[in-house]
Amino acid sequence: MLLFEKSRPGRGCRELPPCDVETVSLPENDRRRKTLHLPALSEVDISRHYSGLARRTHGVNDGFYPLGSCTMKYNPGINEAAASLPGFTQIHPLQGEDTAQGCMEVLHLAEKYLCEITGMDRMTFQPAAGAHGEFTGLLLIKAYHESRQDRKRTKILVPDSAHGTNPASASMAGYSVVSIPSNSDGCVDIEKLKEAAGDDVAGLMLTNPNTVGLFDRNILEITEIVHQCGGLCYYDGANLNAVMGIARPGDMGFDIVHLNLHKTFSTPHGGGGPGSGPVGCREFLADFLPSVLVSEKAPYRFEKPSQSIGEMKSFYGNFLVVVRALTYLLTLGKEGIPEASQNAVLNANYLRCHLKDLYPMAYDATCMHEFVMSLSDLKKETGISAMDIAKGLLDHGIHPPTMYFPLIVDEALMAEPTETESRETLDEAIGVFRSLYRLAQEDPEKLHAAPVTTPVTRLDEVTAARHPVLRYEFQTEDEA
Ligand SMILES: *Cc1c(COP(=O)(O)O)cnc(C)c1O
């Protein structure tokens, strides 16, 4: 039941304090003509409503959540505590820079440490998410070529294992997308890349480790080929969880990087909450960035570079996400950051090695922070698909891995356990995966019916996708 349905006229929480300033009526034309539907409930009813919803969902605090490519790791409470400090929450974006120096120091330090981790020289925190960062990075590429009067570059190269946002962002930035196939070991096909590289290429967008969880061993050759033809190299660093503190995109030859602070750097995500997709670049691109922090000497201030692509978002981006990221960096420190990556890789390989005899790996090699299984043999033998196994996991309190992605793997399940899971949790999950495999052989009907313990069972996903109902329809649309 929705809040609107629980609503009763006249009910409510606290009254506002009496108005102590002069009231002025809005001009007739500006007044609302339809009823404003606001739910009216008591405080305890609202509180129970949301607690009830929270109980019906599955979060990292409820159990294992190996959703590949999403890095659903536990986010330490201290990051929330820092982001709740009144000095950070009670500021106004329009207040003078001289009164917000502490917050600007947060941005300065976060930029310094994240540039160190990525091997970049400058960074903007304006982009609100990963895809927004990609778009920003592509505008940097465009501005760079235009500044050199080089207008024939209309193509962006994107490996076929890329995250779906990459080709979408390139297309939004006005480029045509050339897909580069992967070879049989899951890495970029070098010969195909060489064929595509030419003086019409503006740049390459690459995810490394790629979306099948492999570190491309030809990475230096790849960036070299693109630079040789005059293109720039863009690193999709949304999933930095395998390499942070260990390998730097800048050292791999990349010119631009975006990060997903809401994946790797400890902001909870997945619920549509605010994210942050900062974009770092090398010095020769810094003059194209949105307003950057000038920090050589106090006081800190923002300045728009002379050839700036303009602002990508109002004010400074989602600032509290940056506070969490900085807290995370400072609590883990120089030793803890690479250790988190090492444990993420160790956990992924532990899970992979204990499943691969039953669940064939799409690419049977040491993986980074995630790996992809292909269930196509199981489906042929038993009729049990990746979707059925995913639904079966729900009955065991485990969130399914990412399904049917990347598209280059048939019946794909992509698992990312993250560094924060204990050996016991991993062993328990391995046991569940193995028992579901047996169930697929012995009693597939049971798996077709799963889940049976969740608030809703199998949903009509086709109708939900084709005819999404995204708004509540009020029964009376009373006109004034
Ligand atoms: C999640 C992800 C993105 C997109 O990030 P959003 O914040 O959802 O826009 C881009 N690339 C990769 C590799 C990702 O995993």
Side-chain angles (χ1 to χ4, degrees):
M1 210 174 174
L2 302 177
L3 277 178
F4 294 106
E5 292 159 339
K6 292 180 181 170
S7 169
R8 291 293 172 272
R11 206 155 291 164
C13 304
R14 288 257 171 75
E15 294 286 322
L16 291 173
C19 180
D20 58 0
V21 292
E22 190 192 340
T23 57
V24 185
S25 304
L26 277 176
E28 189 60 35
N29 264 347
D30 293 343
R31 284 195 210 155
R32 166 176 295 283
R33 265 167 273 279
K34 288 183 181 174
T35 308
L36 176 64
H37 291 286
L38 288 178
L41 287 95
S42 70
E43 185 170 322
V44 63
D45 287 339
I46 296 173
S47 181
R48 284 179 186 156
H49 177 80
Y50 285 111
S51 295
L53 289 179
R55 272 194 303 277
R56 293 167 69 182
T57 68
H58 183 90
V60 171
N61 288 358
D62 300 301
F64 193 36
Y65 206 135
L67 188 65
S69 189
C70 291
T71 314
M72 301 296 287
K73 62 186 186 185
Y74 174 72
N75 297 301
I78 188 173
N79 304 326
E80 292 305 317
S84 319
L85 291 173
F88 295 137
T89 57
Q90 305 288 316
I91 51 165
H92 193 282
L94 285 177
Q95 79 189 56
E97 287 179 344
D98 55 329
T99 67
Q101 288 293 304
C103 296
M104 288 165 75
E105 188 175 353
V106 167
L107 292 169
H108 166 64
L109 288 176
E111 175 175 355
K112 189 170 130 191
Y113 296 141
L114 291 172
C115 279
E116 166 87 29
I117 285 173
T118 52
M120 295 291 124
D121 298 313
R122 288 308 320 250
M123 191 168 274
T124 171
F125 288 98
Q126 279 191 3
H132 197 196
E134 291 169 29
F135 184 59
T136 305
L138 285 154
L139 293 185
L140 294 179
I141 293 179
K142 201 165 207 176
Y144 166 78
H145 291 305
E146 272 171 14
S147 76
R148 298 155 48 95
Q149 316 295 332
D150 187 351
R151 297 182 197 282
K152 59 191 177 302
R153 300 184 182 271
T154 55
K155 293 178 180 163
I156 293 284
L157 310 181
V158 183
D160 64 359
S161 64
H163 197 264
T165 50
N166 290 187
S169 302
S171 163
M172 264 189 72
Y175 285 113
S176 58
V177 176
V178 179
S179 176
I180 307 294
S182 308
N183 57 24
S184 57
D185 60 12
C187 296
V188 171
D189 187 325
I190 292 286
E191 289 315 311
K192 292 279 164 30
L193 178 66
K194 282 185 183 158
E195 278 167 33
D199 63 3
D200 56 351
V201 168
L204 162 91
M205 290 180 92
L206 190 122
T207 308
N208 187 42
N210 63 19
T211 46
V212 292
L214 302 176
F215 191 101
D216 202 310
R217 16 179 116 240
N218 301 319
I219 197 67
L220 292 175
E221 196 182 348
I222 292 171
T223 52
E224 174 71 23
I225 293 169
V226 176
H227 283 152
Q228 288 264 318
C229 79
L232 297 184
C233 295
Y234 180 97
Y235 186 99
D236 180 335
N239 311 126
L240 215 68
N241 226 33
V243 297
M244 58 173 182
I246 293 176
R248 312 194 313 164
D251 299 336
M252 300 175 207
F254 287 89
D255 308 298
I256 307 172
V257 179
H258 93 257
L259 302 173
N260 274 29
L261 298 189
H262 49 291
K263 283 178 182 166
T264 317
F265 295 97
S266 204
T267 275
H269 85 292
S276 175
V279 171
C281 68
R282 307 267 307 282
E283 193 61 51
F284 73 97
L285 294 168
D287 201 36
F288 303 108
L289 283 170
S291 291
V292 286
L293 191 63
V294 180
S295 56
E296 280 79 57
K297 56 182 192 338
Y300 298 110
R301 64 195 159 82
F302 272 94
E303 205 172 273
K304 196 166 182 171
S306 63
Q307 305 186 73
S308 175
I309 57 169
E311 310 303 336
M312 294 304 294
K313 192 178 185 303
S314 49
F315 308 110
Y316 313 118
N318 286 325
F319 173 68
L320 294 176
V321 181
V322 184
V323 175
R324 288 192 193 94
L326 180 63
T327 312
Y328 184 70
L329 290 168
L330 291 173
T331 42
L332 266 68
K334 236 186 164 81
E335 300 76 30
I337 290 287
E339 202 179 309
S341 284
Q342 284 162 351
N343 285 334
V345 172
L346 182 64
N347 279 358
N349 280 291
Y350 183 80
L351 199 60
R352 181 181 66 85
C353 289
H354 282 88
L355 294 178
K356 68 176 186 175
D357 59 325
L358 300 186
Y359 294 91
M361 296 297 146
Y363 303 95
D364 193 12
T366 303
C367 65
M368 294 288 116
H369 58 298
E370 62 192 0
F371 58 88
V372 181
M373 309 170 251
S374 170
L375 277 63
S376 56
D377 286 347
L378 184 69
K379 188 170 178 194
K380 272 179 225 129
E381 288 161 23
T382 65
I384 290 297
S385 63
M387 169 83 88
D388 294 321
I389 295 290
K391 299 291 185 195
L393 288 166
L394 291 172
D395 281 332
H396 294 270
I398 293 178
H399 193 286
T402 297
M403 299 181 292
Y404 299 103
F405 181 82
L407 304 175
I408 52 175
V409 176
D410 190 38
E411 290 296 323
L413 281 183
M414 177 198 231
E416 177 180 5
T418 81
E419 72 279 15
T420 46
E421 297 304 337
S422 66
R423 172 138 182 212
E424 290 72 30
T425 303
L426 297 177
D427 284 337
E428 209 178 299
I430 289 163
V432 170
F433 268 98
R434 298 185 74 88
S435 74
L436 292 177
Y437 183 88
R438 279 195 302 277
L439 192 60
Q441 314 283 342
E442 290 159 8
D443 195 355
E445 276 321 301
K446 266 218 168 98
L447 265 177
H448 286 309
V452 293
T453 58
T454 46
V456 287
T457 56
R458 294 260 175 153
L459 297 168
D460 182 349
E461 298 189 15
V462 175
T463 306
R466 299 264 160 82
H467 307 285
V469 180
L470 302 176
R471 340 189 0 235
Y472 181 69
E473 296 293 333
F474 290 97
Q475 301 198 329
T476 51
E477 272 306 336
D478 28 336
E479 309 288 321

